[in-house]
Amino acid sequence: MAAEMALIKPISNFTRTSPKFITSTRKSFSIVKMATQSTASTTKSGKPKKAIKETLLAPRFYTTDFDEMETLFNTEMNKNLNEAEFEALLQEFKTDYNQTHFVRNKEFKEAADKLQGPLRQIFVEFLERSCTAEFSGFLLYKELGRRLKKTNPVVAEIFSLMSRDEARHAGFLNKGLSDFNLALDLGFLTKARQYTFFKPKFIFYATYLSEKIGYWRYITIYRHLKTNPEYQVYPIFKYFENWCQDENRHGDFFSALMKAQPQFLNDWKAKLWSRFFCLSVYVTMYLNDCQRTAFYEGIGLNTKEFDMHVIIETNRTAARIFPAVLDVENPEFKRKLDRMVQINEKLLAIGETEESSLVKNLKRIPHVAALANELLAAYLMPPIDSGSVDLAEFEPQVVY
């Protein structure tokens, strides 16, 4: 099975296809805005804006109960807070290893001009989605840094420094969009995007997984392209080795936060929630990526093999802190993912028809039920008991 092969096959041996190139002329510059409906408008100067349709699988913006966060990190109320560990993490973030890393050169525009048709569009979408996800992290971390200043200055400063990292990433990605004569309107995003509310413990689970899966995605792509430079179609990937260490450090910080809140890790409810968020993150990535195989083929990767490699490594990492994780190395888990992909493709096909909304919704019902059934079956697969707040202490700060 592909899940097993991802463990034993070198990443450089993933099934590959050749990217396509063409020299294009400079096009008009556009401002990209996110919206709940796909509409077109113009800037005051008459330049076009492109609205992006928001879907269930689109990157989301999150908010939380900031009052509860202040209580959780009140050093007088929570004696589990390891102040020495947080001080050490703070010094790590203050070092700012990537302060001078994100410096562009002329390669970016030259490479963008060579990308043609569908591959060019899929790269634009990759930059848009990645920029949105990084900017979402920036907003959440910035607000947490502001709200926790009085309660716990050390944790607050770490959040502020993580928001610095996320802003740097988002800005770098947005600069990449300029190579394609586009720009994401981040100010519009801040005001217009809907926010999803998560309780603090859910923020911990979800964000820890998001940072760690981001690490494994970036380092895997970097290693693959280092071994196969003929697929280095855009220079942003050359920055992924250092970039992914930001993601890893952020994940380590959330690991420390969860260790300081053992009630989020040491009971049966924690096991259920850990499995739920693992499933949510893994399925979302798999379905998203399987809609965008052209992107991965364009850089010489087999989408499903790449995703299973990332899922398995992320799951092994999460097992160091989560009390239970999914058995993603069971071949049945991947079979369920593939069935979800097939169901999702049918749902997408219904959405693209010219039928009325009522007819579309009626046709979706059996497929939504089938998808829910596959999700539940994957969740109920025998899990792997794992994790310990003691084991988490051995998680390295830098992983290669």
Side-chain angles (χ1 to χ4, degrees):
M1 299 301 296
E4 298 164 333
M5 290 167 63
L7 292 174
I8 59 176
K9 285 180 72 176
I11 197 72
S12 58
N13 288 340
F14 281 163
T15 306
R16 300 192 292 269
T17 57
S18 300
K20 300 176 182 178
F21 301 93
I22 191 170
T23 301
S24 64
T25 59
R26 186 172 181 83
K27 297 181 180 180
S28 61
F29 194 84
S30 300
I31 306 295
V32 180
K33 291 196 174 187
M34 304 292 290
T36 55
Q37 294 180 343
S38 183
T39 58
S41 60
T42 60
T43 63
K44 292 180 180 179
S45 61
K47 294 178 181 178
K49 305 172 186 176
K50 186 179 70 173
I52 304 168
K53 187 175 181 181
E54 185 170 342
T55 68
L56 184 64
L57 298 178
R60 296 183 177 273
F61 283 20
Y62 295 96
T63 187
T64 190
D65 185 336
F66 295 104
D67 292 333
E68 184 181 345
M69 280 285 193
E70 290 178 17
T71 301
L72 289 173
F73 295 107
N74 188 314
T75 53
E76 295 180 0
M77 298 175 63
N78 187 350
K79 303 304 179 183
N80 291 310
L81 290 169
N82 186 336
E83 295 185 49
E85 183 175 11
F86 285 116
E87 284 284 0
L89 283 166
L90 176 57
Q91 295 308 312
E92 181 83 4
F93 280 100
K94 280 184 174 180
T95 302
D96 196 6
Y97 298 102
N98 287 333
Q99 183 177 14
T100 60
H101 178 61
F102 295 94
V103 179
R104 288 162 48 86
N105 55 46
K106 65 179 182 179
E107 286 184 59
F108 283 80
K109 181 59 180 168
E110 292 172 355
D113 287 342
K114 292 177 182 178
L115 291 173
Q116 78 165 18
L119 187 57
R120 180 183 178 88
Q121 182 55 42
I122 207 71
F123 262 80
V124 168
E125 186 181 1
F126 160 74
L127 292 169
E128 289 171 350
R129 292 174 64 85
S130 299
C131 184
T132 302
E134 297 283 359
F135 190 66
S136 169
F138 158 72
L139 292 175
L140 177 63
Y141 296 162
K142 181 182 179 182
E143 184 62 15
L144 283 167
R146 187 182 72 82
R147 291 293 296 266
L148 295 173
K149 271 185 180 179
K150 294 182 179 178
T151 306
N152 193 317
V154 173
V155 170
E157 188 172 0
I158 294 174
F159 272 120
S160 294
L161 292 173
M162 290 202 306
S163 75
R164 169 206 66 195
D165 295 341
E166 300 290 306
R168 186 179 286 158
H169 301 164
F172 194 66
L173 288 158
N174 211 11
K175 283 286 188 181
L177 279 169
S178 71
D179 299 323
F180 297 86
N181 311 307
L182 296 166
L184 202 59
D185 190 335
L186 299 179
F188 178 85
L189 274 179
T190 305
K191 298 174 184 177
R193 196 66 183 267
Q194 292 184 343
Y195 286 73
T196 300
F197 177 85
F198 270 3
K199 289 178 67 64
K201 69 176 179 180
F202 301 150
I203 289 286
F204 294 163
Y205 296 144
T207 312
Y208 170 80
L209 282 168
S210 175
E211 298 287 3
K212 288 299 183 180
I213 207 167
Y215 165 79
W216 282 110
R217 286 174 67 84
Y218 285 5
I219 195 60
T220 301
I221 290 173
Y222 174 81
R223 289 170 176 167
H224 161 69
L225 293 176
K226 187 175 181 180
T227 306
N228 302 276
E230 68 273 22
Y231 295 101
Q232 187 73 256
V233 296
Y234 188 64
I236 200 167
F237 303 117
K238 296 178 182 179
Y239 293 74
F240 275 14
E241 183 180 31
N242 286 34
W243 188 334
C244 75
Q245 294 306 332
D246 283 345
E247 311 294 327
N248 198 48
R249 278 186 287 272
H250 295 182
D252 288 347
F253 173 61
F254 277 98
S255 178
L257 293 183
M258 287 188 283
K259 284 162 53 182
Q261 310 294 335
Q263 72 273 21
F264 296 161
L265 297 172
N266 62 7
D267 62 11
W268 63 271
K269 289 184 289 186
K271 289 187 175 185
L272 294 178
W273 282 118
S274 295
R275 289 161 55 196
F276 172 81
F277 278 98
C278 282
L279 183 63
S280 299
V281 170
Y282 302 160
V283 168
T284 299
M285 182 186 76
Y286 202 82
L287 295 184
N288 265 322
D289 288 354
C290 285
Q291 291 178 42
R292 298 166 177 83
T293 55
F295 172 79
Y296 298 96
E297 290 172 356
I299 58 174
L301 287 169
N302 177 291
T303 306
K304 291 183 177 181
E305 288 182 16
F306 166 74
D307 272 20
M308 285 311 303
H309 174 84
V310 169
I311 287 171
I312 288 168
E313 294 299 340
T314 303
N315 204 60
R316 290 176 174 178
T317 302
R320 299 174 186 169
I321 184 69
F322 282 1
V325 293
L326 303 173
D327 186 6
V328 300
E329 297 179 56
N330 183 335
E332 180 58 26
F333 182 79
K334 183 180 182 298
R335 285 195 284 269
K336 292 185 185 303
L337 288 178
D338 288 336
R339 287 195 289 269
M340 291 182 214
V341 169
Q342 294 171 357
I343 296 167
N344 191 50
E345 288 172 349
K346 293 176 182 177
L347 287 168
L348 291 171
I350 291 171
E352 292 173 357
T353 65
E354 299 297 325
E355 296 173 309
S356 68
S357 296
L358 177 61
V359 173
K360 287 181 181 180
N361 288 334
L362 289 173
K363 287 186 174 182
R364 286 187 180 113
I365 291 173
H367 301 300
V368 171
L371 184 60
N373 183 63
E374 290 294 345
L375 285 166
L376 182 60
Y379 182 77
L380 294 177
M381 287 178 64
I384 298 173
D385 287 333
S386 61
S388 143
V389 285
D390 297 323
L391 285 176
E393 294 177 1
F394 296 98
E395 184 168 8
Q397 292 182 337
V398 178
V399 184
Y400 284 102

PDB file of all heavy atoms in Angstrom, residues 15-44:
ATOM      1  N   THR A  15       6.642   8.990  -7.492  1.00  0.00           N
ATOM      2  CA  THR A  15       6.266   9.054  -8.903  1.00  0.00           C
ATOM      3  C   THR A  15       6.299  10.498  -9.364  1.00  0.00           C
ATOM      4  O   THR A  15       5.774  11.375  -8.703  1.00  0.00           O
ATOM      5  CB  THR A  15       4.847   8.479  -9.087  1.00  0.00           C
ATOM      6  OG1 THR A  15       4.816   7.161  -8.521  1.00  0.00           O
ATOM      7  CG2 THR A  15       4.479   8.432 -10.561  1.00  0.00           C
ATOM      8  N   ARG A  16       6.915  10.754 -10.506  1.00  0.00           N
ATOM      9  CA  ARG A  16       7.106  12.134 -10.926  1.00  0.00           C
ATOM     10  C   ARG A  16       6.588  12.341 -12.351  1.00  0.00           C
ATOM     11  O   ARG A  16       6.574  11.439 -13.170  1.00  0.00           O
ATOM     12  CB  ARG A  16       8.599  12.496 -10.882  1.00  0.00           C
ATOM     13  CG  ARG A  16       9.206  12.356  -9.508  1.00  0.00           C
ATOM     14  CD  ARG A  16      10.570  13.012  -9.481  1.00  0.00           C
ATOM     15  NE  ARG A  16      11.549  12.317 -10.284  1.00  0.00           N
ATOM     16  CZ  ARG A  16      12.342  11.363  -9.829  1.00  0.00           C
ATOM     17  NH1 ARG A  16      12.257  10.983  -8.588  1.00  0.00           N
ATOM     18  NH2 ARG A  16      13.218  10.785 -10.619  1.00  0.00           N
ATOM     19  N   THR A  17       6.185  13.554 -12.609  1.00  0.00           N
ATOM     20  CA  THR A  17       5.843  13.962 -13.969  1.00  0.00           C
ATOM     21  C   THR A  17       6.568  15.255 -14.257  1.00  0.00           C
ATOM     22  O   THR A  17       6.907  15.997 -13.348  1.00  0.00           O
ATOM     23  CB  THR A  17       4.334  14.175 -14.121  1.00  0.00           C
ATOM     24  OG1 THR A  17       3.929  15.148 -13.154  1.00  0.00           O
ATOM     25  CG2 THR A  17       3.561  12.887 -13.900  1.00  0.00           C
ATOM     26  N   SER A  18       6.784  15.549 -15.512  1.00  0.00           N
ATOM     27  CA  SER A  18       7.576  16.726 -15.863  1.00  0.00           C
ATOM     28  C   SER A  18       6.745  17.994 -15.841  1.00  0.00           C
ATOM     29  O   SER A  18       5.649  18.033 -16.383  1.00  0.00           O
ATOM     30  CB  SER A  18       8.165  16.544 -17.264  1.00  0.00           C
ATOM     31  OG  SER A  18       8.995  15.410 -17.287  1.00  0.00           O
ATOM     32  N   PRO A  19       7.259  19.065 -15.227  1.00  0.00           N
ATOM     33  CA  PRO A  19       6.561  20.337 -15.267  1.00  0.00           C
ATOM     34  C   PRO A  19       6.680  20.963 -16.651  1.00  0.00           C
ATOM     35  O   PRO A  19       7.574  20.630 -17.417  1.00  0.00           O
ATOM     36  CB  PRO A  19       7.301  21.178 -14.215  1.00  0.00           C
ATOM     37  CG  PRO A  19       8.673  20.594 -14.171  1.00  0.00           C
ATOM     38  CD  PRO A  19       8.510  19.129 -14.465  1.00  0.00           C
ATOM     39  N   LYS A  20       5.767  21.896 -16.928  1.00  0.00           N
ATOM     40  CA  LYS A  20       5.770  22.558 -18.230  1.00  0.00           C
ATOM     41  C   LYS A  20       6.169  24.010 -18.065  1.00  0.00           C
ATOM     42  O   LYS A  20       5.860  24.638 -17.073  1.00  0.00           O
ATOM     43  CB  LYS A  20       4.380  22.459 -18.860  1.00  0.00           C
ATOM     44  CG  LYS A  20       3.928  21.007 -19.079  1.00  0.00           C
ATOM     45  CD  LYS A  20       2.522  20.974 -19.599  1.00  0.00           C
ATOM     46  CE  LYS A  20       2.042  19.536 -19.776  1.00  0.00           C
ATOM     47  NZ  LYS A  20       0.650  19.474 -20.246  1.00  0.00           N
ATOM     48  N   PHE A  21       6.828  24.541 -19.045  1.00  0.00           N
ATOM     49  CA  PHE A  21       7.303  25.922 -18.988  1.00  0.00           C
ATOM     50  C   PHE A  21       6.909  26.668 -20.263  1.00  0.00           C
ATOM     51  O   PHE A  21       6.796  26.096 -21.338  1.00  0.00           O
ATOM     52  CB  PHE A  21       8.827  25.970 -18.859  1.00  0.00           C
ATOM     53  CG  PHE A  21       9.336  25.263 -17.649  1.00  0.00           C
ATOM     54  CD1 PHE A  21       9.727  23.939 -17.721  1.00  0.00           C
ATOM     55  CD2 PHE A  21       9.417  25.912 -16.431  1.00  0.00           C
ATOM     56  CE1 PHE A  21      10.200  23.282 -16.613  1.00  0.00           C
ATOM     57  CE2 PHE A  21       9.896  25.262 -15.317  1.00  0.00           C
ATOM     58  CZ  PHE A  21      10.287  23.948 -15.403  1.00  0.00           C
ATOM     59  N   ILE A  22       6.743  27.949 -20.094  1.00  0.00           N
ATOM     60  CA  ILE A  22       6.531  28.817 -21.249  1.00  0.00           C
ATOM     61  C   ILE A  22       6.892  30.228 -20.823  1.00  0.00           C
ATOM     62  O   ILE A  22       6.717  30.595 -19.667  1.00  0.00           O
ATOM     63  CB  ILE A  22       5.062  28.765 -21.734  1.00  0.00           C
ATOM     64  CG1 ILE A  22       4.928  29.466 -23.096  1.00  0.00           C
ATOM     65  CG2 ILE A  22       4.099  29.386 -20.736  1.00  0.00           C
ATOM     66  CD1 ILE A  22       3.589  29.273 -23.759  1.00  0.00           C
ATOM     67  N   THR A  23       7.417  31.001 -21.718  1.00  0.00           N
ATOM     68  CA  THR A  23       7.714  32.394 -21.410  1.00  0.00           C
ATOM     69  C   THR A  23       6.471  33.220 -21.677  1.00  0.00           C
ATOM     70  O   THR A  23       5.876  33.135 -22.749  1.00  0.00           O
ATOM     71  CB  THR A  23       8.866  32.907 -22.293  1.00  0.00           C
ATOM     72  OG1 THR A  23      10.008  32.095 -22.050  1.00  0.00           O
ATOM     73  CG2 THR A  23       9.191  34.358 -21.953  1.00  0.00           C
ATOM     74  N   SER A  24       6.059  34.006 -20.681  1.00  0.00           N
ATOM     75  CA  SER A  24       4.854  34.812 -20.836  1.00  0.00           C
ATOM     76  C   SER A  24       5.181  36.283 -20.722  1.00  0.00           C
ATOM     77  O   SER A  24       6.201  36.662 -20.160  1.00  0.00           O
ATOM     78  CB  SER A  24       3.825  34.426 -19.764  1.00  0.00           C
ATOM     79  OG  SER A  24       4.332  34.729 -18.490  1.00  0.00           O
ATOM     80  N   THR A  25       4.304  37.107 -21.237  1.00  0.00           N
ATOM     81  CA  THR A  25       4.494  38.549 -21.125  1.00  0.00           C
ATOM     82  C   THR A  25       3.868  39.035 -19.836  1.00  0.00           C
ATOM     83  O   THR A  25       3.016  38.384 -19.249  1.00  0.00           O
ATOM     84  CB  THR A  25       3.822  39.248 -22.311  1.00  0.00           C
ATOM     85  OG1 THR A  25       2.438  38.918 -22.318  1.00  0.00           O
ATOM     86  CG2 THR A  25       4.464  38.821 -23.615  1.00  0.00           C
ATOM     87  N   ARG A  26       4.277  40.222 -19.382  1.00  0.00           N
ATOM     88  CA  ARG A  26       3.771  40.782 -18.142  1.00  0.00           C
ATOM     89  C   ARG A  26       2.297  41.138 -18.302  1.00  0.00           C
ATOM     90  O   ARG A  26       1.887  41.759 -19.252  1.00  0.00           O
ATOM     91  CB  ARG A  26       4.566  42.030 -17.750  1.00  0.00           C
ATOM     92  CG  ARG A  26       4.182  42.566 -16.387  1.00  0.00           C
ATOM     93  CD  ARG A  26       5.123  43.681 -15.974  1.00  0.00           C
ATOM     94  NE  ARG A  26       4.784  44.189 -14.675  1.00  0.00           N
ATOM     95  CZ  ARG A  26       5.161  43.654 -13.542  1.00  0.00           C
ATOM     96  NH1 ARG A  26       5.886  42.572 -13.564  1.00  0.00           N
ATOM     97  NH2 ARG A  26       4.814  44.189 -12.374  1.00  0.00           N
ATOM     98  N   LYS A  27       1.495  40.771 -17.283  1.00  0.00           N
ATOM     99  CA  LYS A  27       0.069  41.040 -17.339  1.00  0.00           C
ATOM    100  C   LYS A  27      -0.282  42.126 -16.335  1.00  0.00           C
ATOM    101  O   LYS A  27       0.516  42.513 -15.506  1.00  0.00           O
ATOM    102  CB  LYS A  27      -0.719  39.761 -17.019  1.00  0.00           C
ATOM    103  CG  LYS A  27      -0.467  38.653 -18.039  1.00  0.00           C
ATOM    104  CD  LYS A  27      -1.267  37.428 -17.713  1.00  0.00           C
ATOM    105  CE  LYS A  27      -1.015  36.317 -18.732  1.00  0.00           C
ATOM    106  NZ  LYS A  27      -1.781  35.097 -18.430  1.00  0.00           N
ATOM    107  N   SER A  28      -1.529  42.611 -16.396  1.00  0.00           N
ATOM    108  CA  SER A  28      -1.963  43.654 -15.474  1.00  0.00           C
ATOM    109  C   SER A  28      -1.944  43.139 -14.049  1.00  0.00           C
ATOM    110  O   SER A  28      -2.122  41.958 -13.797  1.00  0.00           O
ATOM    111  CB  SER A  28      -3.376  44.103 -15.841  1.00  0.00           C
ATOM    112  OG  SER A  28      -4.262  43.014 -15.741  1.00  0.00           O
ATOM    113  N   PHE A  29      -1.731  44.057 -13.104  1.00  0.00           N
ATOM    114  CA  PHE A  29      -1.603  43.691 -11.705  1.00  0.00           C
ATOM    115  C   PHE A  29      -2.978  43.636 -11.058  1.00  0.00           C
ATOM    116  O   PHE A  29      -3.811  44.517 -11.280  1.00  0.00           O
ATOM    117  CB  PHE A  29      -0.739  44.721 -10.976  1.00  0.00           C
ATOM    118  CG  PHE A  29      -0.265  44.269  -9.636  1.00  0.00           C
ATOM    119  CD1 PHE A  29       0.861  43.482  -9.520  1.00  0.00           C
ATOM    120  CD2 PHE A  29      -0.964  44.619  -8.497  1.00  0.00           C
ATOM    121  CE1 PHE A  29       1.298  43.063  -8.283  1.00  0.00           C
ATOM    122  CE2 PHE A  29      -0.529  44.204  -7.258  1.00  0.00           C
ATOM    123  CZ  PHE A  29       0.602  43.424  -7.145  1.00  0.00           C
ATOM    124  N   SER A  30      -3.235  42.605 -10.258  1.00  0.00           N
ATOM    125  CA  SER A  30      -4.539  42.442  -9.626  1.00  0.00           C
ATOM    126  C   SER A  30      -4.411  42.347  -8.122  1.00  0.00           C
ATOM    127  O   SER A  30      -3.419  41.835  -7.602  1.00  0.00           O
ATOM    128  CB  SER A  30      -5.232  41.174 -10.144  1.00  0.00           C
ATOM    129  OG  SER A  30      -5.419  41.249 -11.533  1.00  0.00           O
ATOM    130  N   ILE A  31      -5.429  42.805  -7.431  1.00  0.00           N
ATOM    131  CA  ILE A  31      -5.530  42.649  -5.990  1.00  0.00           C
ATOM    132  C   ILE A  31      -6.468  41.500  -5.721  1.00  0.00           C
ATOM    133  O   ILE A  31      -7.587  41.464  -6.221  1.00  0.00           O
ATOM    134  CB  ILE A  31      -6.084  43.921  -5.317  1.00  0.00           C
ATOM    135  CG1 ILE A  31      -5.245  45.134  -5.708  1.00  0.00           C
ATOM    136  CG2 ILE A  31      -6.126  43.767  -3.808  1.00  0.00           C
ATOM    137  CD1 ILE A  31      -3.827  45.095  -5.224  1.00  0.00           C
ATOM    138  N   VAL A  32      -6.030  40.527  -4.926  1.00  0.00           N
ATOM    139  CA  VAL A  32      -6.833  39.354  -4.636  1.00  0.00           C
ATOM    140  C   VAL A  32      -7.509  39.539  -3.290  1.00  0.00           C
ATOM    141  O   VAL A  32      -6.852  39.842  -2.297  1.00  0.00           O
ATOM    142  CB  VAL A  32      -5.960  38.081  -4.605  1.00  0.00           C
ATOM    143  CG1 VAL A  32      -6.809  36.862  -4.301  1.00  0.00           C
ATOM    144  CG2 VAL A  32      -5.256  37.916  -5.935  1.00  0.00           C
ATOM    145  N   LYS A  33      -8.814  39.355  -3.248  1.00  0.00           N
ATOM    146  CA  LYS A  33      -9.557  39.436  -1.992  1.00  0.00           C
ATOM    147  C   LYS A  33     -10.253  38.118  -1.734  1.00  0.00           C
ATOM    148  O   LYS A  33     -10.635  37.410  -2.644  1.00  0.00           O
ATOM    149  CB  LYS A  33     -10.603  40.567  -2.053  1.00  0.00           C
ATOM    150  CG  LYS A  33      -9.956  41.960  -2.068  1.00  0.00           C
ATOM    151  CD  LYS A  33     -10.962  43.024  -1.737  1.00  0.00           C
ATOM    152  CE  LYS A  33     -10.276  44.381  -1.601  1.00  0.00           C
ATOM    153  NZ  LYS A  33     -11.184  45.421  -1.125  1.00  0.00           N
ATOM    154  N   MET A  34     -10.424  37.805  -0.459  1.00  0.00           N
ATOM    155  CA  MET A  34     -11.137  36.595  -0.082  1.00  0.00           C
ATOM    156  C   MET A  34     -12.591  36.972   0.165  1.00  0.00           C
ATOM    157  O   MET A  34     -12.875  37.980   0.779  1.00  0.00           O
ATOM    158  CB  MET A  34     -10.546  36.002   1.199  1.00  0.00           C
ATOM    159  CG  MET A  34      -9.061  35.712   1.112  1.00  0.00           C
ATOM    160  SD  MET A  34      -8.660  34.393  -0.013  1.00  0.00           S
ATOM    161  CE  MET A  34      -9.306  33.000   0.890  1.00  0.00           C
ATOM    162  N   ALA A  35     -13.502  36.135  -0.271  1.00  0.00           N
ATOM    163  CA  ALA A  35     -14.911  36.419  -0.048  1.00  0.00           C
ATOM    164  C   ALA A  35     -15.684  35.128   0.068  1.00  0.00           C
ATOM    165  O   ALA A  35     -15.200  34.067  -0.292  1.00  0.00           O
ATOM    166  CB  ALA A  35     -15.467  37.256  -1.206  1.00  0.00           C
ATOM    167  N   THR A  36     -16.905  35.205   0.589  1.00  0.00           N
ATOM    168  CA  THR A  36     -17.731  34.013   0.698  1.00  0.00           C
ATOM    169  C   THR A  36     -18.407  33.676  -0.612  1.00  0.00           C
ATOM    170  O   THR A  36     -18.907  32.592  -0.807  1.00  0.00           O
ATOM    171  CB  THR A  36     -18.799  34.204   1.789  1.00  0.00           C
ATOM    172  OG1 THR A  36     -19.535  35.387   1.484  1.00  0.00           O
ATOM    173  CG2 THR A  36     -18.150  34.336   3.145  1.00  0.00           C
ATOM    174  N   GLN A  37     -18.422  34.625  -1.527  1.00  0.00           N
ATOM    175  CA  GLN A  37     -18.964  34.365  -2.848  1.00  0.00           C
ATOM    176  C   GLN A  37     -17.944  34.804  -3.888  1.00  0.00           C
ATOM    177  O   GLN A  37     -17.161  35.711  -3.661  1.00  0.00           O
ATOM    178  CB  GLN A  37     -20.278  35.135  -3.069  1.00  0.00           C
ATOM    179  CG  GLN A  37     -21.407  34.655  -2.154  1.00  0.00           C
ATOM    180  CD  GLN A  37     -22.675  35.427  -2.406  1.00  0.00           C
ATOM    181  OE1 GLN A  37     -22.652  36.480  -3.008  1.00  0.00           O
ATOM    182  NE2 GLN A  37     -23.771  34.891  -1.939  1.00  0.00           N
ATOM    183  N   SER A  38     -17.983  34.152  -5.029  1.00  0.00           N
ATOM    184  CA  SER A  38     -17.037  34.504  -6.084  1.00  0.00           C
ATOM    185  C   SER A  38     -17.582  35.681  -6.874  1.00  0.00           C
ATOM    186  O   SER A  38     -18.543  35.574  -7.603  1.00  0.00           O
ATOM    187  CB  SER A  38     -16.820  33.297  -7.004  1.00  0.00           C
ATOM    188  OG  SER A  38     -15.867  33.600  -7.962  1.00  0.00           O
ATOM    189  N   THR A  39     -16.945  36.832  -6.697  1.00  0.00           N
ATOM    190  CA  THR A  39     -17.381  38.036  -7.394  1.00  0.00           C
ATOM    191  C   THR A  39     -16.174  38.745  -7.930  1.00  0.00           C
ATOM    192  O   THR A  39     -15.049  38.504  -7.537  1.00  0.00           O
ATOM    193  CB  THR A  39     -18.145  38.976  -6.439  1.00  0.00           C
ATOM    194  OG1 THR A  39     -17.277  39.295  -5.345  1.00  0.00           O
ATOM    195  CG2 THR A  39     -19.409  38.328  -5.920  1.00  0.00           C
ATOM    196  N   ALA A  40     -16.389  39.682  -8.826  1.00  0.00           N
ATOM    197  CA  ALA A  40     -15.292  40.465  -9.375  1.00  0.00           C
ATOM    198  C   ALA A  40     -15.582  41.932  -9.144  1.00  0.00           C
ATOM    199  O   ALA A  40     -16.713  42.375  -9.203  1.00  0.00           O
ATOM    200  CB  ALA A  40     -15.131  40.189 -10.869  1.00  0.00           C
ATOM    201  N   SER A  41     -14.546  42.701  -8.856  1.00  0.00           N
ATOM    202  CA  SER A  41     -14.686  44.128  -8.654  1.00  0.00           C
ATOM    203  C   SER A  41     -13.400  44.784  -9.090  1.00  0.00           C
ATOM    204  O   SER A  41     -12.488  44.132  -9.580  1.00  0.00           O
ATOM    205  CB  SER A  41     -15.003  44.429  -7.187  1.00  0.00           C
ATOM    206  OG  SER A  41     -13.980  43.951  -6.358  1.00  0.00           O
ATOM    207  N   THR A  42     -13.320  46.105  -8.890  1.00  0.00           N
ATOM    208  CA  THR A  42     -12.110  46.806  -9.286  1.00  0.00           C
ATOM    209  C   THR A  42     -11.642  47.701  -8.174  1.00  0.00           C
ATOM    210  O   THR A  42     -12.389  48.077  -7.287  1.00  0.00           O
ATOM    211  CB  THR A  42     -12.365  47.665 -10.537  1.00  0.00           C
ATOM    212  OG1 THR A  42     -13.396  48.614 -10.234  1.00  0.00           O
ATOM    213  CG2 THR A  42     -12.792  46.810 -11.711  1.00  0.00           C
ATOM    214  N   THR A  43     -10.360  48.029  -8.184  1.00  0.00           N
ATOM    215  CA  THR A  43      -9.818  48.984  -7.237  1.00  0.00           C
ATOM    216  C   THR A  43     -10.188  50.387  -7.715  1.00  0.00           C
ATOM    217  O   THR A  43     -10.725  50.578  -8.794  1.00  0.00           O
ATOM    218  CB  THR A  43      -8.287  48.862  -7.176  1.00  0.00           C
ATOM    219  OG1 THR A  43      -7.764  49.190  -8.457  1.00  0.00           O
ATOM    220  CG2 THR A  43      -7.864  47.464  -6.807  1.00  0.00           C
ATOM    221  N   LYS A  44      -9.877  51.392  -6.882  1.00  0.00           N
ATOM    222  CA  LYS A  44     -10.168  52.771  -7.259  1.00  0.00           C
ATOM    223  C   LYS A  44      -9.424  53.173  -8.528  1.00  0.00           C
ATOM    224  O   LYS A  44      -9.859  54.018  -9.289  1.00  0.00           O
ATOM    225  CB  LYS A  44      -9.790  53.712  -6.109  1.00  0.00           C
ATOM    226  CG  LYS A  44     -10.682  53.538  -4.886  1.00  0.00           C
ATOM    227  CD  LYS A  44     -10.275  54.494  -3.771  1.00  0.00           C
ATOM    228  CE  LYS A  44     -11.163  54.320  -2.548  1.00  0.00           C
ATOM    229  NZ  LYS A  44     -10.772  55.228  -1.450  1.00  0.00           N
TER     230      LYS A  44
END
